Structure formats: structure tokens, C-alpha cells
Amino acid sequence: MKEEIEQLLKQVQELTANSAKEVEEARVRLLGKKGEITKLFEEFRTYAPDLKREFGKKINELKQAATAKIEELKQNTFSEASSQAPKEDLTMPGTPFALGSRHPVSIVRQEVVDIFRKFGYDVAEGPEIEDDYHVFEALNFPPNHPARDMQDTFFVSTGHPNPLLLRTHTSSVQVRAMENMSLPIRVICPGRVFRNEAISARAHCIFHQVEGLYIDEGVTFADLKQAILLFAREMFGADSQIRMRPSYFPFTEPSAEVDVSCNICHGKGCNICKGTGWLEIMGCGMVDPNVLEASGIDSKKYSGFAFGMGLERIAMLKWQVNDLRHYFENDMRFLSEFKTAIEV
Ligand code: DAH
């Protein structure tokens, strides 16, 4: 027994280990259930008391030395492992969040709003679920007038003299502006509009418009032309030209459709302007006296102009995206092309 104890003590003193696995193996070999020291204890238990007295102290010292050694080796391999681990550099800049960006239609809306704000226009909004009166009646579309067919309407309630519907144009907001604002009025009304159209590259059932309205004493068609020319030059470039073609809208008289000179080919003719050198951007006209009177404005004293444009159309011209559906599908590959946000 004495020799065995001394031999094991020597082994314990010389014990080394390079990894946590080796330490564990040594522990099992010496102190595990079938370990050498454990076996020695089992033998020791069978000894007569005088022999126990002789070896008791030594065998306990051996167990303590082995336990301490294993603990020491465990500490060493642990701190070695942690000192070998790659150190995080806490001064490195963090991983940036992927910032979203504004939708192209929002970018264009903001540009239009900013341009007209410079000209002194306020921004007005109105409800998307509107009544027939504000969308049609007050804008000089009498009941059963064929011009209502120009705008395929989604009705929310029918069988009522003033049914609710999804507004088909933001011209409804000019009626609300005339009802609620004091004269003179200078507003633009951006917003979402709805029409029962089959979805295709050129049409959608939801799109965005900006309506403009200016009412004061002595407003003329020349003022309308000037306002639109200035807008076109801010939006499409300082050398832009405009032309007006006679048109029809129930709420304006005279009415016109506005083209801007093609900002791609500068009037020479390309496939964006289909060889004409001109791009259609909006409808406009002098507010019909009936419309002024319907909202309680004296048409003998006041006159005004109005215009309305589709924001998707302006965005299409600005970025040459020729399929309307892209604006509604939220495809990240499309949206991320309009990153205007500052990247970190
Ligand atoms: N509301 C018309 C539409 O949705 C656009 C429009 C045309 C608005 C002429 C106007 C205007 O204010 O004067 O087609």
C-alpha cells in the first residue's frame, strides 16, 4: 500500500494536461468510480484498524493532492482556452441597420408639394371614402351625366341620393377647400384615388394624384399657364417647355391637357415620348362658374384655375419606369433603387 500511494502521489505531482478533455480523462483515471485512488480506498476499507492508522493519513493526503491538482489543471486549461479565443474588437463600428428608403411615389409627392409650397400654396387633405356630392355633384357632374363614366367608381353604399364611394380623383378636396377656407385660396391636395380599372402596365385600381386650386379676384388663364410652366421647369428641368391642348372636364371651362417637352430627347423624339417630343403630365382649366357657385363663391367677383396630375405618371416620366404595377408590388429590388436616405 505504501509504495502504491507514493507512486500515485508522484504521478499526481507530475500530471500535466493540454486540454479540458485531458484533465477530465486524468480525473476519471484517478478519482472516477473505478479510478486508481478510489480502488485504493476500497482496499483500505478492508484493512485492520492498526493498518488503517498507519495509511489513513497518507491516503487522504493523496486524494487531496489529486483533487487539488485536477482543479489547478482545470483552471489552467480554461484560462488558456479563453486567452486563445479571438478577441472582439470593441472599438469596431457596429453592423449598420439596413435603412429603408422612401417610396418613389412619396419622393415625387414631396417634390411636387415643395415646389408649390414655394409658390405660396398650402397643402389640404380630404377623405378617401367620399360622398357623391364632393366627387361629382359639386364638380358639375349632374346625376346620370355621361362624364361620370370617365371614372369607373367603386361604390361603398348605393340606393341613397348621396351614396358613399371611394374618391375617383382628388378634385373632391378642392370642393372641401372651397367650403372651408377663406378666400383667396391657394392649395394643393395630394392623395390616393381609386378606380375600377383592370390592373395592367398602364392602369391600376389605386393610384395617387395631386390636385391644385387657386381662386382669387382676377385670376386668368395666363396665370394658370405661368404656374404650370414654372412647375414644369422646377420638376423636369429649367429648359422645359409646355403646351396645352383643348380638352373637356365638367368642372373647368375652358379645359386643357398639358404636355411637357420630353426631358429625355429634349424635343427631338424618342421612344419615351413616342417620337412626338412631348409628354402628357396633367389636366387643367379655369374653374367652372357653376363649381364656384355650388360652394358659395361669387363667380362674378372671383375666378380661379385648377389642375390635377397623376403622381405615378410623373414618377414614370422621371425614372422611365414604364410599368405601373412596380409601384404597388413592394419588390425590394425595385424599391431599393430609390435610396435617398443617408447610409450609415
Ligand atoms: N380630376 C381629373 C382626373 O382625375 C384631373 C383634373 C383635370 C383635375 C383637370 C383638375 C383639372 O383640377 O382642372 O382625371
Side-chain angles (χ1 to χ4, degrees), residues 150-151 168-171 174 195 209 211-212 249 251-252 256 282-286 306-309:
M150 286 159 68
Q151 305 185 357
T168 54
H169 54 179
T170 42
S171 303
Q174 50 161 283
R195 288 187 197 181
Q209 289 186 333
E211 183 78 13
F249 301 101
F251 36 89
T252 43
M282 65 170 90
C284 69
M286 299 306 290
F307 54 88
M309 66 189 110

Side-chain angles (χ1 to χ4, degrees), residues 7-278:
Q7 218 180 339
L8 278 170
L9 196 60
K10 200 164 166 243
Q11 250 188 52
V12 166
Q13 281 157 356
E14 287 167 3
L15 201 61
T16 57
N18 291 321
S19 66
K21 194 172 161 240
E22 282 181 28
V23 180
E24 180 58 13
E25 278 165 7
R27 189 193 66 79
V28 171
R29 182 159 38 80
L30 295 168
L31 298 163
K33 263 191 191 156
K34 291 179 187 156
E36 292 179 57
I37 296 176
T38 318
K39 272 192 202 146
L40 219 55
F41 263 94
E42 275 162 17
E43 200 185 321
F44 173 78
R45 252 178 240 124
T46 63
Y47 281 11
D50 55 334
L51 279 179
K52 275 191 178 156
R53 225 168 292 127
E54 189 183 341
F55 295 117
K57 199 169 167 235
K58 285 228 155 20
I59 198 169
N60 270 324
E61 276 170 8
L62 170 65
K63 192 177 176 186
Q64 274 165 18
T67 313
K69 185 75 178 188
I70 296 285
E71 201 47 43
E72 181 197 320
L73 290 176
K74 247 190 214 170
Q75 292 299 328
N76 288 349
T77 51
F78 175 76
S79 59
E80 234 165 73
S82 60
S83 68
Q84 276 162 15
K87 289 240 168 60
E88 296 287 347
D89 181 353
L90 299 178
T91 63
M92 290 269 284
T95 314
F97 287 109
L99 278 189
S101 54
R102 280 161 64 214
H103 190 279
V105 172
S106 303
I107 296 171
V108 169
R109 181 185 55 203
Q110 194 58 49
E111 263 183 59
V112 174
V113 166
D114 288 346
I115 292 169
F116 281 101
R117 273 233 173 93
K118 276 199 279 192
F119 301 166
Y121 285 67
D122 289 328
V123 176
E125 284 184 357
E128 291 179 348
I129 300 177
E130 254 296 7
D131 54 26
D132 185 279
Y133 176 79
H134 288 89
V135 174
F136 294 125
E137 188 96 35
L139 287 166
N140 206 28
F141 291 80
N144 304 319
H145 192 281
R148 288 180 178 227
D149 284 352
M150 286 159 68
Q151 305 185 357
D152 297 307
T153 310
F154 286 115
F155 286 91
V156 175
S157 68
T158 51
H160 189 270
N162 187 22
L164 288 180
L165 43 86
L166 300 184
R167 67 179 178 198
T168 54
H169 54 179
T170 42
S171 303
S172 55
V173 189
Q174 50 161 283
V175 178
R176 292 196 174 269
M178 287 188 283
E179 287 170 347
N180 300 321
M181 297 171 81
S182 49
L183 293 158
I185 296 171
R186 236 193 255 119
V187 280
I188 51 163
C189 323
R192 219 157 33 150
V193 300
F194 309 85
R195 288 187 197 181
N196 189 6
E197 303 259 6
I199 295 171
S200 71
R202 314 202 115 249
H204 207 285
C205 54
I206 303 176
F207 54 102
H208 299 78
Q209 289 186 333
V210 174
E211 183 78 13
L213 177 70
Y214 178 29
I215 302 176
D216 200 352
E217 287 179 44
V219 178
T220 67
F221 202 92
D223 298 320
L224 168 63
K225 267 174 82 174
Q226 186 63 12
I228 292 176
L229 179 63
L230 290 177
F231 165 73
R233 292 192 168 164
E234 291 273 336
M235 191 78 203
F236 297 104
D239 57 349
S240 297
Q241 298 293 333
I242 59 163
R243 73 173 185 187
M244 288 178 161
R245 286 175 289 110
S247 185
Y248 172 76
F249 301 101
F251 36 89
T252 43
E253 182 58 36
S255 305
E257 231 130 359
V258 182
D259 297 338
V260 65
S261 52
C262 180
N263 59 334
I264 311 300
C265 64
H266 299 280
K268 286 189 206 82
C270 64
N271 59 355
I272 300 291
C273 61
K274 300 201 188 69
T276 63
W278 296 97

